[in-house]
């Protein structure tokens, strides 16, 4: 009975996770990924067989070999696996949330409510809403802004976002020293 | 010379420790500190290469199998680290690719991205890839997959430009789904076979019911296949590989899909060799479709890196074709297909990395990689044009280079096993590759000089940077040439590696998993367990 319940739970978690991933909304995407990872965790839990009322250690050491049928311990391994999987999926979910938030910010689109909510703070280094000439080669964008200034070594972070500088002086020489 | 199996820890430990050391001081992101980071990372990459060479010489050259049981816990209970010819070949290539891309990365990655932790992430990615090649059980394979995925997520989106975040979401979601499928496979393996250790799975799987075997193999094929970007599961790759800085694309193109290919090789030869025969039509269909879709998709792409990333897919199809015919071969030796696939893998990792770096250099010089708007670079950068051309014809399979040897041997085994259709498809895909490479070269180097972008490229200003960019490309092209000229000894070596990988019994004996509680070596005053089995009834 318990294992049937477990199977149904795993199945419904997978089904709803898959359904949510295929929706357009980004929050639903995150929720779908979370549900899928829960489904897998539950499946791993079930893979160790459900042993009720027994600790995952040898109960009776003295007569272990004789009483193995009575003392068969619960399998401790699935719990270790699940713990690892939970930690990993936690980290990844956090990353996905940040990524979705960043995407929401930089592309200024939100499929969920259809309206743009400005999330940029003043002077956000990732604010590229003004720069129009960067077409698909976005990764070059930083290069333009780069200020190679050796004096600020270790004294702290450079001005961030980088200050405006004349292109001609920026291109004059490369002060970046190679190891 | 007998080597200690403890060396197997170095390819994982060296990048991890160095990255951790770098992260400790990463808060003060001054430029001197970044120079120290670069020096440390280079040191770690060199150590990694030296150890990989040592391991490769012993394992692939002399047929040794390294088994490291961590903490001396015997096989199914502890963590098993395993290195044989196949894993060490990939370790060596990974070390080469990582060391070759690194100067390019140093030259092209800007200060802000370096401050965001590019260098430690590079090492974490390397650690994950190495660990995946060395893992001896399913769960550690999963963990290392996640390590390399996590590092690749951040490397892909580092800088968080709009296109990067867009592609990042696709990449993250599709790769997470693949990981989920793989973890389900691990759960099913544990639930039905009671073990996660590769050797023990290989031991017990023949006794399992056919349904279990089919489900397990299918889940692994989907999970690993989508990491390897095989036919219906490749969509994450062309959606994302053109958006990060070119150094990252070169690293990904050289390493990431190959982890999927390696795990496919490993799992199919070790767990279900019989499926290599009974599933052969399916695998060959997938392989043919992968080749064709990759090559045709590349034809429709407008930019250099997009074309090259579609070609990665096409080449994965060739490797899968070699795997599918690994156990057949009428007049040729059994394992010929796998040997050919392995040498193809070597060729692909070397030359694809070189080509993406050369393409990235073009992109840096031009400020754009859109083929329609660039051209005429040959007059400004003759060396780059030469290197790009050499790499391109090597990729297409022109004789003196490694592409010829590997494609010829793959074609030979396919014809020998009378798979005419897939052989024809592979020839057609090679022709399309040739066409695409010529198109890339013509569009970017010939014609009038045109440079669409107003973005000034600082790389043009520094001779040191240019040398850092082009030297690794030249070395990789030379390596490909050497692999082509020394085709015969290289192929003999890869046949040895393939035979070793196909020898399941020796794998099981080398790891020697024990199903006895006594293997736990629990020494107690009150009881002494000798022969109690822990396998569940």
């Amino acid at each position: 009975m318990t294992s049937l319940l477990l199977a149904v739970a795993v199945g419904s978690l997978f089904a709803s996770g898959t359904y949510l991933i295929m929706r357009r909304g980004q929050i639903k995407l995150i929720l779908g990924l979370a549900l899928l990872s829960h489904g897998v965790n539950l499946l791993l839990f079930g893979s160790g067989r459900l042993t009720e009322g027994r600790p995952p250690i040898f109960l009776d050491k003295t007569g272990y070999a004789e009483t193995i049928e009575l003392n068969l311990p619960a399998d401790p391994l699935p719990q270790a696996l699940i713990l690892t999987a939970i930690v990993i999926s936690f980290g990844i979910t956090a990353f996905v949330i940040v990524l979705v938030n960043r995407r929401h910010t930089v592309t200024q689109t939100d499929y969920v409510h259809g309206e743009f909510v400005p999330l940029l703070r003043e002077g956000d280094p990732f604010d590229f809403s003004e720069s129009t000439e960067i077409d698909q080669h976005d990764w070059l964008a930083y290069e333009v802004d780069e200020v190679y200034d050796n004096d600020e070594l270790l004294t702290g972070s450079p001005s961030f976002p980088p200050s405006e500088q004349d292109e001609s002086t920026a291109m004059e020489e490369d002060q970046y020293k190679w190891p | 010379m007998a080597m200690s199996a403890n060396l197997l820890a170095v390819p994982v430990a060296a990048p991890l420790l160095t990255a951790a050391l770098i992260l400790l001081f990463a808060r003060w992101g001054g430029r001197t500190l970044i120079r120290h980071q670069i020096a440390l990372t280079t040191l770690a990459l060199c150590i990694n290469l030296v150890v990989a060479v040592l391991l490769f010489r012993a394992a692939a050259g002399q047929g040794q199998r390294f088994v490291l049981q961590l903490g001396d816990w015997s096989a199914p209970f502890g963590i098993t680290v395993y290195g044989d010819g196949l894993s060490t070949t990939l370790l060596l290539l990974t070390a080469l690719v990582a060391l070759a891309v690194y100067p390019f990365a140093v030259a092209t990655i800007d200060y802000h991205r370096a401050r965001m932790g590019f260098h430690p992430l590079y090492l974490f990615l390397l650690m994950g890839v190495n660990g995946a090649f060395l893992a001896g059980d399913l769960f550690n394979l999963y963990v290392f997959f996640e390590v390399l995925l996590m590092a690749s997520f951040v490397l892909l989106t580092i800088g968080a430009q709009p296109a990067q975040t867009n592609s990042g979401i696709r990449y993250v979601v599709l790769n997470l789904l693949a990981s989920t499928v793989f973890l389900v496979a691990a759960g099913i393996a544990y639930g039905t076979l009671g073990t996660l250790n590769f050797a023990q799975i290989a031991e017990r799987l023949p006794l399992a019911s056919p349904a279990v075997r089919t489900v397990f193999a299918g889940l692994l094929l989907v999970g690993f296949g989508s990491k390897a970007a095989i036919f219906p599961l490749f969509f994450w790759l062309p959606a994302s590989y053109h958006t990060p800085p070119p150094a990252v694309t070169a690293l990904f193109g050289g390493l990431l899909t190959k982890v999927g290919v390696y795990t496919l090789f490993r799992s199919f030869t070790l767990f279900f060799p019989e499926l290599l025969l009974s599933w052969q039509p399916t695998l060959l269909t997938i392989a043919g479709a992968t080749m064709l879709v990759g090559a045709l998709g590349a034809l429709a792409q407008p930019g250099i890196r997009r074309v090259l990333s579609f070609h990665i897919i096409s080449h994965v199809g060739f490797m899968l074709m070699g795997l599918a015919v690994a156990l057949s071969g009428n007049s040729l030796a059994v394992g010929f297909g796998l040997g050919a696939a392995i040498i193809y893998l070597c060729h692909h990792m070397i030359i694809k990395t070189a080509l993406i770096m050369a393409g990235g250099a073009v992109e840096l010089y031009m400020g754009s990689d859109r083929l329609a708007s660039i051209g005429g670079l040959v007059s400004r950068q003759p060396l780059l044009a030469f290197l790009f051309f050499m790499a391109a014809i090597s990729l297409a399979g022109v004789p003196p280079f490694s592409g010829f040897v590997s494609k010829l041997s793959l074609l030979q085994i396919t014809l020998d096993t009378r798979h005419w259709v897939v052989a024809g498809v592979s020839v057609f895909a090679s022709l399309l590759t040739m066409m695409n490479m010529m198109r890339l070269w013509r569009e970017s180097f010939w014609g009038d000089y045109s440079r669409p972008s107003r973005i000034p490229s600082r790389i043009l200003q520094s001779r040191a940077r240019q040398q850092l960019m082009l030297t690794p490309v030249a070395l990789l092209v030379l390596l490909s040439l050497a692999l082509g000229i020394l085709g015969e000894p290289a192929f003999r070596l890869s046949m040895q590696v393939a035979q070793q990988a196909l020898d399941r019994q020796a794998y099981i004996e080398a790891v020697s998993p024990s199903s006895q509680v006594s293997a736990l070596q629990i020494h107690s005053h009150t009881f002494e367990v000798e022969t109690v089995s822990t396998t569940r009834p």
Side-chain angles (χ1 to χ4, degrees):
Chain A
M1 189 59 211
T2 330
S3 37
L4 182 69
L5 200 65
L6 199 66
V8 171
V10 170
S12 44
L13 277 174
F14 266 96
S16 40
T18 315
Y19 173 76
L20 280 177
I21 277 183
M22 290 197 238
R23 309 289 295 166
R24 265 185 102 75
Q26 302 182 4
I27 302 300
K28 290 173 188 159
L29 180 79
I30 297 169
L31 289 178
L33 286 177
L35 285 188
L36 275 182
S37 68
H38 290 329
V40 180
N41 291 343
L42 213 52
L43 188 140
L44 283 177
F45 182 66
S47 75
R49 301 288 193 279
L50 297 172
T51 323
E52 280 177 35
R54 293 199 195 121
I57 47 173
F58 303 120
L59 283 180
D60 181 10
K61 282 184 175 181
T62 42
Y64 183 78
E66 290 78 40
T67 57
I68 184 158
E69 292 304 320
L70 293 173
N71 285 330
L72 195 66
D75 193 346
L77 191 65
Q79 288 153 39
L81 301 184
I82 293 170
L83 193 59
T84 317
I86 285 176
V87 171
I88 291 174
S89 68
F90 168 73
I92 287 179
T93 310
F95 179 77
V96 174
I97 290 173
V98 171
L99 189 63
V100 162
N101 184 21
R102 182 55 69 194
R103 177 180 183 234
H104 176 94
T105 315
V106 294
T107 60
Q108 307 189 350
T109 49
D110 187 356
Y111 296 121
V112 188
H113 305 300
E115 58 177 309
F116 170 60
V117 186
L119 292 171
L120 282 176
R121 279 167 299 149
E122 196 66 31
D124 192 317
F126 297 102
D127 183 3
F128 295 104
S129 50
E130 299 298 314
S131 50
T132 49
E133 71 217 50
I134 310 160
D135 48 67
Q136 97 238 48
H137 302 283
D138 301 329
W139 63 270
L140 282 169
Y142 275 133
E143 218 202 325
V144 190
D145 295 335
E146 270 194 46
V147 189
Y148 284 94
D149 188 357
N150 268 323
D151 294 335
E152 63 182 0
L153 295 175
L154 293 172
T155 56
S157 55
S159 55
F160 201 74
S163 58
E164 292 289 320
Q165 199 185 21
D166 192 358
E167 275 184 9
S168 57
T169 57
M171 287 175 64
E172 260 177 11
E173 58 171 332
D174 194 2
Q175 296 171 12
Y176 204 95
K177 300 292 188 299
W178 305 105
Chain B
M1 176 180 63
M3 310 266 298
S4 163
N6 285 332
L7 269 184
L8 285 181
V10 177
V12 175
L16 174 67
L17 295 179
T18 318
L21 184 68
I22 290 175
L23 281 182
L24 272 184
F25 302 102
R27 288 276 302 171
W28 309 284
R31 288 175 200 284
T32 324
L33 208 60
I34 296 218
R35 285 205 293 278
H36 293 323
Q37 290 189 1
I38 291 171
L40 275 175
T41 311
T42 315
L43 181 69
L45 292 173
C46 291
I47 292 173
N48 182 39
L49 180 65
V50 169
V51 172
V53 168
L54 289 177
L55 286 170
F56 174 77
R57 276 187 47 190
Q62 300 157 16
Q64 219 175 320
R65 289 166 191 270
F66 294 103
V67 180
L68 176 60
Q69 312 279 12
L70 289 187
D72 214 12
W73 290 88
S74 59
F77 304 106
I79 292 174
T80 305
V81 182
Y82 178 84
D84 64 355
L86 184 57
S87 359
T88 52
T89 307
L90 278 150
L91 271 190
L92 177 65
L93 284 164
T94 302
L96 275 174
V97 166
L99 192 60
V101 176
Y102 194 62
F104 186 89
V106 168
T108 56
I109 291 295
D110 49 288
Y111 173 63
H112 295 294
R113 285 197 174 88
R115 255 189 103 242
M116 290 169 193
F118 177 84
H119 302 287
L121 281 168
Y122 196 94
L123 289 173
F124 279 129
L125 185 80
L126 180 69
M127 170 205 164
V129 172
N130 283 344
F133 291 146
L134 292 174
D137 63 287
L138 274 181
F139 200 75
N140 280 296
L141 183 61
Y142 167 74
V143 169
F144 279 116
F145 259 134
E146 294 302 310
V147 169
L148 81 90
L149 272 187
M150 207 60 183
S152 73
F153 292 164
V154 187
L155 280 178
L156 186 74
T157 52
I158 194 166
Q161 310 291 313
Q164 279 182 294
T165 46
N166 267 332
S167 69
I169 288 187
R170 291 174 203 144
Y171 178 89
V172 168
V173 170
L174 291 179
N175 272 297
L176 277 188
L177 283 180
S179 296
T180 308
V181 171
F182 171 41
L183 197 54
V184 170
I188 284 177
Y190 191 69
T192 54
L193 306 170
T195 183
L196 290 168
N197 190 284
F198 280 174
Q200 207 165 22
I201 291 176
E203 211 174 31
R204 292 182 182 175
L205 206 58
L207 309 172
S209 72
V212 168
R213 253 178 300 171
T214 313
V215 168
F216 186 46
L219 285 172
L220 285 188
L221 182 65
V222 172
F224 294 153
S226 70
K227 307 258 181 213
I230 63 174
F231 164 54
L233 308 163
F234 62 83
F235 292 100
W236 56 272
L237 195 151
S240 59
Y241 269 26
H242 59 279
T243 51
V248 176
T249 311
L251 190 67
F252 283 14
L255 300 185
L256 290 195
T257 50
K258 310 320 164 286
V259 182
V261 172
Y262 163 79
T263 44
L264 279 179
F265 282 9
R266 176 63 81 210
S267 57
F268 270 83
T269 54
L270 184 63
F271 299 158
F272 357 84
E274 74 283 353
L275 289 186
L276 280 182
L277 295 175
S278 59
W279 282 19
Q280 201 177 44
T282 320
L283 290 176
L284 282 175
T285 313
I286 295 175
T290 312
M291 284 182 234
L292 209 57
V293 165
L296 285 175
L299 211 56
Q301 294 303 312
I304 296 176
R305 270 200 281 166
R306 290 168 186 262
V307 171
L308 292 178
S309 40
F310 258 102
H311 269 296
I312 297 175
I313 300 166
S314 168
H315 290 190
V316 167
F318 282 90
M319 296 168 209
L320 193 63
M321 180 173 89
L323 174 68
V325 294
L327 281 186
S328 40
N330 296 339
S331 57
L332 300 169
V334 171
F336 192 96
L338 193 62
I342 290 170
I343 203 161
Y344 196 93
L345 187 65
C346 302
H347 149 73
H348 173 83
M349 282 176 84
I350 293 170
I351 212 64
K352 180 57 87 179
T353 313
L355 203 54
I356 296 178
M357 283 198 282
V362 173
E363 192 173 345
L364 281 162
Y365 285 126
M366 293 302 202
S368 165
D369 78 337
R370 202 162 261 282
L371 288 171
S373 53
I374 63 175
L377 194 60
V378 70
S379 55
R380 311 288 173 104
Q381 294 289 335
L383 179 64
L384 176 60
F386 176 74
L387 290 176
F388 194 101
F389 185 76
M390 289 294 144
I393 62 173
S394 174
L395 192 76
V398 171
F401 290 96
S402 56
F404 176 69
V405 184
S406 45
K407 278 193 175 157
L408 182 72
S409 46
L410 269 179
L411 196 62
Q412 203 176 344
I413 180 74
T414 325
L415 292 177
D416 188 61
T417 48
R418 296 171 194 286
H419 296 293
W420 311 115
V421 179
V422 78
V425 166
S426 75
V427 171
F428 183 59
S430 297
L431 280 178
L432 285 179
T433 309
M434 185 72 178
M435 200 172 132
N436 265 317
M437 290 303 121
M438 291 307 104
R439 171 169 153 255
L440 282 190
W441 200 81
R442 192 190 65 227
E443 299 279 337
S444 44
F445 290 103
W446 271 357
D448 294 329
Y449 183 73
S450 63
R451 192 168 172 282
S453 176
R454 296 199 291 112
I455 297 174
S457 187
R458 295 179 50 81
I459 284 119
L460 290 168
Q461 310 301 314
S462 158
R463 277 189 66 80
R465 283 193 179 206
Q466 295 196 25
Q467 284 166 357
L468 275 180
M469 272 164 60
L470 292 187
T471 316
V473 182
L475 289 179
L476 287 179
V477 169
L478 272 180
L479 193 60
S480 162
L481 188 64
L483 196 61
I485 289 172
L486 302 175
E488 203 204 327
F491 191 77
R492 213 179 304 132
L493 200 61
S494 84
M495 273 302 284
Q496 272 179 30
V497 169
Q499 303 285 6
Q500 196 190 18
L502 284 171
D503 191 352
R504 307 172 60 220
Q505 213 49 49
Y507 187 114
I508 295 171
E509 275 163 24
V511 178
S512 64
S514 159
S515 55
Q516 307 297 318
V517 169
S518 61
L520 282 170
Q521 294 173 353
I522 301 167
H523 294 298
S524 159
H525 295 295
T526 49
F527 81 114
E528 194 78 35
V529 179
E530 285 301 330
T531 53
V532 181
S533 168
T534 54
T535 52
R536 279 189 305 277

